[in-house]
Amino acid sequence: MTDSSATRYGKRYRAAARFGMASSVQEFHDATRPGTRDALVEAVADRLFPGRRSDTPEIRSWRASWPELADILTKAGLQRLWIAVEYRPYQAGNSRADAVVAGFGPDGRPVYLVVELKQWQQAGWDAANERVTGTGAGYERAHGLHHPYDQAHDYSQFIRSFTQGMHDENAVTIAAAAYLHNATEDSIETLRTAGRHQADGTFSGDPAGRERFIGRLATLFDPGRDGAQAWENLSRAAYQQGPKLLEAAARIFADRDSYPLTDEQYDVFGRIQNAVSAAMNPSADRDQAVIVVKGGPGTGKTWIAMHLLGANAHARRQVSYSTNSGSLRSALQTSAGFNSLLGAGPAGQLITSARIYHDYEERPRKLDLLIVDEAQRLEQWTVLGGHANSRVRQDHLESHDITQLFELKKSAKVLVLFIDEDQASTSKDFVTIDHARELADRTGASFDVMELTEQHRSGGSQAYEAWVDALLDGEPVVWHDEENFTVSVAGTPQDLEQMVFDDAAGGDARLLAGFCWDWRKRPKIDSIHDLPFDIEIGEWRKHWNLHKALSGHPKHTDWARKPSGSAQVGSIFTAQGFEFPRVGVIVGPDLVWDDAAGRMAVDMGASRYTKLVQLRNKNPHADVRIRNQYRVLLTRAMRSVVLYSTDPGTQALLRRIVNPAPA
């Protein structure tokens, strides 16, 4: 293994802690006094950032802010509540809430208050640009500043939307507050002009501000109730989506504030929005842009795309979202509720196939923004119907180099491509970042590449992402389970099924497999009971996802989103773009362990993906797409994945490297 591949595949990541410390408010107060504060700060710093120096601005801010928060909670008589500092909600990436106070309300419901702490002595609100100014903070110019209440509110929504047991607003109260303990009411007066919630939830540290904050705390919490159980409920809660992404898409469209972006995602969102605004400016030097957003599985590409769609549609801009993934497109149009929200016609215009833009010359007006998701799945040429164009049409396209990517760009001022080249896995997947760069040069558009690095699938585990890369295309390394993500190996396909579904909720789990068994069309069969099985491994038999709906079981385009789809096995064609709490993956004979080579080897002869086999015969490097297929399948799970290989040697490898017993 080369040095570069060792760095890429051999790196181990420390599992990120979900919080810095948690205790009763009384214990927190005692620990933040002058004689004990430094020990607390050092302990939290070592837990969150082992090896980092302890004089960073962030760590220095803890020394200044924690005693102030402890004082006001104590003055409010809330010593029996619990508090966690530096709490990292699920889906928040590497970002952490400054503090979460846990207790119970006067009505007996659990209550969680997310507190954003600031040392600013003054701050103003720039309403035109919706940003904070005048803080004197060195990072203000470089990054721009969100309203501190909005920061706390975003964390509260992460907790609400992605934490087990926290979804029901009638059962659990989750609130937000910003505490600027060095400021006065007058010095932050304009911050409270940002909106009603910002006004009610932003507090200074002068007597009037502290009195308002104590009053707010009194309405939320019952000081006589111990908060330990409330904290226990939150700290032990597993990741669980509330509204699934596909259902949330329409809600994002209607109310983006309830479905916040992480800092990294928001940065990409904002830069794209600025590019659209610049392209629409009549005095701009360039009125065209091609933007590539690259990111691996679970980095939030579709989430950002939905925010872009909603923001620009509500601004009355001409915008569409496009993907060549029929399953993802169908799911967004139906499950996400766009049809019910907008009507079938407008929904079809907002959520489109990439194939409809062939008529760019006839469009009376270009779109302001065209968002293309899963852009690596774009084809080289647009095929209008069936599997191939007429010879005349194809000759015209090739002679004028009218690629599908070119058609998309000619249809919009700004083209945004969400892409992961490592997920190029079918015979038709064509577009790369280099193709996008060439397109920008050809059309006179500006070009920019933005990268998403925070991974939110697989429990947010960077270690698992690296482990998958090493397994598929490097030197496999040992996996040890983490707090938020587990890997298991099943001894038989029967065991696999049982392990995946035993304690899965409803139809939330899925079985996936490499494309090593034929997917046959049987149009005359009208009952699933008459349908022959596709996948047979010993005595174990299953259907692939269905060509058409049968006996209450969904067709393949609905397989991912309907609970009854869990009875069939999904493939690369139906799993890509989706996520599930638990997944079982069958590694077929197309990818097997080669002991002599010390790595996984592709056996294209075992694949039943005919077009990919044909492509590989023309281009030997196409076998990388088999590896990419398994990369997609192995990264669909949010909490756990169970593996089984039909090849004994591969099965033995998995047994050796997944949670091996201590020597």
Side-chain angles (χ1 to χ4, degrees), residues 368-441:
D368 298 315
L369 172 64
L370 179 54
I371 305 158
V372 182
D373 206 358
E374 304 283 358
Q376 72 279 354
R377 298 195 66 177
L378 292 173
E379 302 173 21
Q380 184 172 10
W381 316 103
T382 298
V383 177
L384 295 185
H387 298 292
N389 290 314
S390 67
R391 186 68 263 168
V392 172
R393 171 174 165 75
Q394 190 62 33
D395 287 345
H396 172 75
L397 294 177
E398 293 184 19
S399 63
H400 293 83
D401 197 20
I402 305 175
T403 63
Q404 186 169 74
L405 188 59
F406 178 79
E407 292 171 343
L408 292 166
K409 177 62 199 76
K410 295 295 283 186
S411 300
K413 293 179 180 178
V414 178
L415 178 66
V416 177
L417 304 169
F418 288 92
I419 191 168
D420 180 3
E421 292 177 329
D422 286 341
Q423 290 194 62
S425 52
T426 78
S427 62
K428 295 180 179 180
D429 295 354
F430 179 76
V431 168
T432 64
I433 296 173
D434 285 343
H435 288 139
R437 184 179 290 106
E438 293 165 2
L439 174 74
D441 290 342

Side-chain angles (χ1 to χ4, degrees), residues 19-22 38-50 59 62 66 85-86 96:
F19 57 91
M21 65 78 65
D38 287 348
L40 173 64
V41 168
E42 290 174 9
V44 174
D46 184 63
R47 174 174 166 81
L48 296 178
F49 319 118
I59 295 175
W62 299 348
W66 288 352
V85 296
E86 296 299 306
R96 301 179 305 279

Side-chain angles (χ1 to χ4, degrees), residues 170-392:
N170 294 318
V172 180
T173 297
I174 305 177
Y179 186 35
L180 285 66
H181 52 83
N182 289 336
T184 66
E185 293 290 272
D186 289 341
S187 70
I188 60 169
E189 187 271 337
T190 60
L191 285 185
R192 297 197 299 276
T193 68
R196 178 172 64 87
H197 296 298
Q198 290 84 348
D200 293 342
T202 303
F203 308 97
S204 72
D206 71 6
R210 290 169 66 87
E211 183 178 353
R212 286 198 312 111
F213 195 6
I214 290 172
R216 175 64 171 146
L217 292 168
T219 65
L220 288 171
F221 294 105
D222 178 354
R225 292 281 302 269
D226 191 311
Q229 187 59 56
W231 166 245
E232 187 81 358
N233 294 344
L234 179 62
S235 65
R236 291 184 176 275
Y239 170 90
Q240 184 183 67
Q241 287 182 323
K244 291 185 171 55
L245 170 62
L246 301 178
E247 296 167 354
R251 303 185 193 186
I252 293 171
F253 185 90
D255 179 17
R256 292 186 301 115
D257 291 340
S258 294
Y259 300 92
L261 299 165
T262 67
D263 290 344
E264 180 183 70
Q265 292 166 351
Y266 190 85
D267 178 65
V268 169
F269 168 85
R271 290 164 64 189
I272 293 172
Q273 286 294 81
N274 289 342
V276 178
S277 297
M280 296 179 66
N281 184 349
S283 62
D285 292 337
R286 289 193 183 188
D287 63 352
Q288 308 285 326
V290 174
I291 299 171
V292 169
V293 181
K294 68 175 184 175
T299 49
K301 298 186 292 296
T302 300
W303 196 254
I304 298 171
M306 289 296 103
H307 276 262
L308 288 168
L309 182 64
N312 288 282
H314 287 305
R316 299 293 188 267
R317 289 172 171 170
Q318 298 296 306
V319 58
S320 284
Y321 167 98
S322 179
T323 178
N324 265 3
S325 170
S327 297
L328 181 57
R329 185 170 64 251
S330 172
L332 285 169
Q333 288 175 335
T334 53
S335 176
F338 278 101
N339 278 341
S340 59
L341 184 69
L342 304 168
Q349 294 168 12
L350 280 171
I351 310 291
T352 68
S353 165
R355 294 184 176 186
I356 73 167
Y357 298 93
H358 63 90
D359 61 348
Y360 63 91
E361 292 179 317
E362 301 170 15
R363 292 176 179 258
R365 176 183 172 185
K366 281 187 174 183
L367 292 169
D368 298 315
L369 172 64
L370 179 54
I371 305 158
V372 182
D373 206 358
E374 304 283 358
Q376 72 279 354
R377 298 195 66 177
L378 292 173
E379 302 173 21
Q380 184 172 10
W381 316 103
T382 298
V383 177
L384 295 185
H387 298 292
N389 290 314
S390 67
R391 186 68 263 168
V392 172

Side-chain angles (χ1 to χ4, degrees), residues 492-568:
T492 66
Q494 290 89 340
D495 291 343
L496 175 83
E497 185 172 9
Q498 183 175 3
M499 293 165 69
V500 169
F501 292 110
D502 250 8
D503 60 352
D508 282 348
R510 288 294 186 275
L511 298 178
L512 310 173
F515 206 75
C516 301
W517 295 268
D518 290 322
W519 188 42
R520 300 183 181 90
K521 290 184 178 180
R522 297 178 173 90
K524 295 182 180 181
I525 293 178
D526 296 320
S527 171
I528 198 167
H529 304 293
D530 300 326
L531 185 67
F533 291 104
D534 302 297
I535 301 172
E536 297 188 18
I537 304 173
E539 299 298 318
W540 189 78
R541 300 177 179 183
K542 281 286 178 181
H543 297 117
W544 279 120
N545 34 231
L546 306 176
H547 282 278
K548 64 179 183 179
L550 288 174
S551 308
H553 297 271
K555 63 185 290 189
H556 59 94
T557 52
D558 294 330
W559 168 87
R561 67 184 183 88
K562 291 194 174 181
S564 55
S566 61
Q568 295 87 45

